[in-house]
Amino acid sequence: IGHQSVEVLGHRYPRDDFTNVTPKILAKVGRNLHNQPYHPLWLIKERIKAHFYSNYIGPGGNPLFSVHDNLSPVVTVEQNFDSLLIPPDHSSRKQGDNYYLNRNMMLRAHTSAHQAELVRSGLDAFLLAGDVYRRDEIDASHYPVFHQMEGVRLFTNHQLFSKVHNGEDLSLFERGGRRTPQKQETHSLEAVKLVEFDLKQTLTRLVSYLFGADVEVRWVDCYFPFTHPSFELEVRFQGNWMEVLGCGVMEQELLNSVGAQNKLGWAFGLGLERLAMVLYSIPDIRLFWSEDERFLKQFRVQDIHQPVCFQALSKYPPLHNDISFWLPDTKDSEESFTENDFYELVRSIGGDLVEKVTLIDDFTHPKTGRRSRCYRIVYRHMERTLTQEEVRLVHQEIERMAEAELGVQGRY
Ligand code: PHE
């Protein structure tokens, strides 16, 4: 069966001549880094949500934008391309650039794949975060799986013009118009200019909120098949301009095809890794997949608005030392020894010298029934090489305190 079909998230898809997903890529599907609490991508997602929740309030006092972060990355080719007016022969459909499950299904290449279905379901303003997949080289800033956040906002005639003096006389649409660099054929210039202004203002505010008011940004004209006009926003980072998002005024044909023919809209798609790399000075995109505590623990902030000062992982060598002890008898109380108490004790004595603690042996004596545990403590300093002697002193103190505080009996 495994040869004839591909299994993803519990579903099977028959293989055909388009199938090109690899086991390595499939192993990433379902990791959902953007939903992992305190992962840097989650942290950025939460900050963006908080920004939109507090700055864009609906008429009833409710948040204007709904947030979606659980849509499956397995989409139809129709969703990823056709629903966005991407022509059948467009180069972005290449097998060389995408991960296909078969001719009909693929791993989404962008979160825009969900624009049409969410508008069709009746939403006027939403944010959508998810993992996206593109075949690409692997280097410091490219990885075949990354994360995007999509934003869409639609406007009725009333919503767009009600704040404009004599706005009732204005109209979203015009007949017999022409497509120009500024606008689509069916749009009125005044409507497009207001939508474009709202789009750019929304994104400029978001970026200043994330990076601080003095961040330098610039708008660059570009092309997407599903927006016109289209723009990219670039942020100045370490002397270079870096593209962080694409956006534009949604193609009316797209909105018409999903029942929103009386509205105009804007859409944007931003790269969460790009933002996180700039914001936290993370040097390599592969770090986002790290399960290394030294990486992850730096993002465990009390408050999502608290600044994170990311420190590159130490290049200094680790030293490890094992500790084994007999657990206290469990006769009196079941919970006489808990692992987290031990971890806390290690942390309180070893502080930042301790990189990792792992259980390496859990042994029950066959005759006496006594249990013993052995943990490996990895010591490493961020800024210098530790000496055997200083590690020995810390380790001995941990041994001593474990006996004193946790009722264990050392086998030192
Ligand atoms: N989907 C586009 C990309 O991945 C970004 C985008 C989203 C552009 C929405 C316009 C509107 O590059």
Side-chain angles (χ1 to χ4, degrees):
I1 292 172
H3 296 292
Q4 294 149 20
S5 66
V6 190
E7 191 176 327
V8 195
L9 301 173
H11 292 270
R12 283 185 189 289
Y13 302 89
R15 287 176 180 271
D16 63 22
D17 57 326
F18 252 61
T19 310
N20 66 355
V21 280
T22 61
K24 267 216 168 63
I25 292 299
L26 290 175
K28 307 282 191 217
V29 181
R31 273 286 292 279
N32 294 327
L33 298 180
H34 60 292
N35 291 339
Q36 210 180 98
Y38 299 102
H39 188 278
L41 298 175
W42 173 89
L43 196 55
I44 297 223
K45 180 190 78 172
E46 289 303 308
R47 292 185 60 186
I48 296 173
K49 277 167 61 176
H51 172 78
F52 276 91
Y53 279 163
S54 60
N55 289 286
Y56 301 91
I57 314 287
N62 53 311
L64 193 61
F65 287 82
S66 57
V67 179
H68 309 261
D69 54 19
N70 244 324
L71 295 172
S72 171
V74 177
V75 298
T76 60
V77 170
E78 206 281 323
Q79 285 174 290
N80 197 80
F81 296 119
D82 302 77
S83 78
L84 292 159
L85 316 170
I86 297 170
D89 56 356
H90 197 267
S91 74
S92 65
R93 297 187 185 235
K94 284 197 296 290
Q95 273 169 292
D97 286 355
N98 298 283
Y99 290 106
Y100 285 93
L101 304 182
N102 55 39
R103 278 183 175 273
N104 295 321
M105 305 298 292
M106 62 187 294
L107 299 176
R108 66 186 162 212
H110 51 182
T111 44
S112 302
H114 301 285
Q115 278 186 17
E117 66 186 275
L118 291 182
V119 172
R120 190 187 290 111
S121 76
L123 298 175
D124 282 338
F126 59 84
L127 299 171
L128 153 66
D131 41 333
V132 302
Y133 298 77
R134 292 187 199 171
R135 295 181 70 184
D136 221 329
E137 81 253 52
I138 296 191
D139 66 19
S141 58
H142 292 87
Y143 198 78
V145 190
F146 59 101
H147 298 75
Q148 287 187 325
M149 179 108 140
E150 193 88 3
V152 166
R153 182 166 184 187
L154 307 185
F155 301 88
T156 60
N157 200 99
H158 176 73
Q159 286 163 343
L160 201 59
F161 293 128
S162 60
K163 291 192 290 284
V164 175
H165 182 62
N166 283 340
E168 314 83 73
D169 301 337
L170 299 173
S171 165
L172 294 182
F173 302 106
E174 72 178 28
R175 281 174 198 282
R178 280 193 316 119
R179 179 167 290 240
T180 68
Q182 280 74 42
K183 68 172 206 72
Q184 298 170 33
E185 43 280 58
T186 60
H187 290 165
S188 72
L189 187 58
E190 49 276 21
V192 169
K193 287 296 170 191
L194 285 176
V195 171
E196 179 181 328
F197 174 75
D198 188 79
L199 168 64
K200 289 181 170 174
Q201 177 175 258
T202 301
L203 290 169
T204 309
R205 281 184 181 156
L206 172 65
V207 167
S208 328
Y209 156 76
L210 290 173
F211 293 95
D214 39 49
V215 65
E216 279 187 82
V217 300
R218 69 176 186 191
W219 292 101
V220 180
D221 292 323
C222 71
Y223 171 80
F224 296 107
F226 37 96
T227 50
H228 183 74
S230 304
F231 313 96
E232 276 167 0
L233 180 64
E234 297 185 339
V235 174
R236 200 171 167 84
F237 172 57
Q238 296 180 350
N240 299 314
W241 289 103
M242 197 182 62
E243 182 210 324
V244 296
L245 66 86
C247 65
V249 177
M250 294 173 80
E251 280 289 346
Q252 201 58 39
E253 191 185 333
L254 191 166
L255 291 176
N256 293 350
S257 72
V258 289
Q261 59 285 333
N262 59 335
K263 292 168 189 168
L264 244 69
W266 54 241
F268 68 79
L270 56 82
L272 291 176
E273 276 85 350
R274 285 281 174 92
L275 290 180
M277 287 175 84
V278 179
L279 207 50
Y280 304 133
S281 300
I282 296 173
D284 191 309
I285 196 165
R286 285 168 295 189
L287 281 166
F288 291 105
W289 297 89
S290 167
E291 303 194 37
D292 191 325
E293 268 304 292
R294 291 178 296 152
F295 176 74
L296 294 173
K297 77 176 180 197
Q298 300 194 44
F299 301 97
R300 297 211 186 97
V301 287
Q302 291 281 324
D303 173 340
I304 61 166
H305 302 289
Q306 189 176 316
V308 170
C309 267
F310 177 71
Q311 276 208 326
L313 306 193
S314 177
K315 355 176 230 321
Y316 298 96
L319 283 173
H320 69 250
N321 241 318
D322 297 344
I323 174 169
S324 13
F325 40 72
W326 294 109
L327 299 190
D329 274 343
T330 46
K331 278 188 218 96
D332 335 310
S333 75
E334 272 300 314
E335 287 298 299
S336 54
F337 173 85
T338 63
E339 199 144 66
N340 284 340
D341 290 342
F342 177 64
Y343 293 147
E344 201 158 286
L345 182 138
V346 173
R347 217 177 291 125
S348 69
I349 299 168
D352 283 345
L353 296 190
V354 177
E355 178 176 303
K356 200 159 82 177
V357 181
T358 38
L359 176 64
I360 57 174
D361 191 39
D362 188 349
F363 163 79
T364 306
H365 193 281
K367 298 222 176 76
T368 63
R370 282 183 96 190
R371 292 179 70 191
S372 98
R373 291 266 175 95
C374 180
Y375 291 91
R376 171 154 302 167
I377 304 177
V378 178
Y379 297 89
R380 174 159 28 198
H381 199 284
M382 281 288 201
E383 281 102 25
R384 60 188 172 79
T385 301
L386 291 173
T387 65
Q388 297 277 1
E389 177 59 12
E390 70 187 307
V391 167
R392 196 179 57 80
L393 290 174
V394 173
H395 197 75
Q396 276 175 356
E397 181 63 5
I398 291 172
E399 290 176 337
R400 200 180 65 74
M401 291 297 283
E403 289 201 308
E405 305 254 297
L406 303 177
V408 305
Q409 189 189 336
R411 304 175 66 186
Y412 316 140

